Amino acid sequence: MTTSANSVIAAIDARRPGLKLAKKHSLLFFVQGHHIAHFGSPLFDEPITATDRGVSVPDADGSPAEQPDTEGPLNTIGYVIERYGALSPADLRSLIQSSQPWQAATKPGGGGRIDPDILRDWFRRDDETNDPDDERPNRAERAQADEIWKTHKAQQAS
């Protein structure tokens, strides 16, 4: 189940009031990336567009919206606020523009849209997931869980 980007912005506002819309759009990039990497599906459906100034979510204007009401999305948003919220807009822009998803979107023929599959892969890479202070499973732990899940599914099918 997805929510809207404006709902995510409402949750960001509740945790860090007073941020400018451009910074919220940058945080949406990280929220979407971490959420899709961890849960396997996007948190919101609106596309993220690569721009000269970082990213934009054209349909997210900060209009009043209900915050997500489930634990997974709220945990992802809280994590992103904790990890990236204190960074300056210039620092966020540097992180975004150095990422594979942004670079792929801005290549000739890239279309300008951040590809959710590339975003997922970027946020699942070892540099991102092998942080000892991060409680998320690393690549080896995810592979082990995937094998257990496949075995379980095969046993249920028999």
Side-chain angles (χ1 to χ4, degrees), residues 34 75-84 128 134 136:
H34 283 289
N75 286 342
T76 301
I77 294 163
Y79 172 76
V80 167
I81 296 294
E82 178 70 25
R83 184 168 178 182
Y84 303 99
E128 187 63 40
D134 190 344
R136 293 176 301 161

Side-chain angles (χ1 to χ4, degrees), residues 135-151:
E135 296 177 9
R136 293 176 301 161
N138 62 32
R139 180 171 284 160
E141 293 165 333
R142 282 195 317 272
Q144 182 181 21
D146 287 344
E147 281 303 313
I148 291 169
W149 182 247
K150 285 178 190 174
T151 302

Side-chain angles (χ1 to χ4, degrees), residues 64-126:
E66 292 291 319
Q67 295 183 43
D69 59 359
T70 55
E71 187 176 340
L74 292 173
N75 286 342
T76 301
I77 294 163
Y79 172 76
V80 167
I81 296 294
E82 178 70 25
R83 184 168 178 182
Y84 303 99
L87 295 176
S88 72
D91 289 338
L92 291 172
R93 183 172 47 253
S94 293
L95 287 173
I96 291 167
Q97 291 179 339
S98 67
S99 74
Q100 176 61 30
W102 186 89
Q103 291 175 8
T106 57
K107 284 183 180 175
R113 282 194 174 178
I114 303 291
D115 183 314
D117 293 333
I118 297 173
L119 190 66
R120 178 200 60 227
D121 293 346
W122 177 256
F123 279 92
R124 283 186 177 170
R125 72 193 195 290
D126 285 339

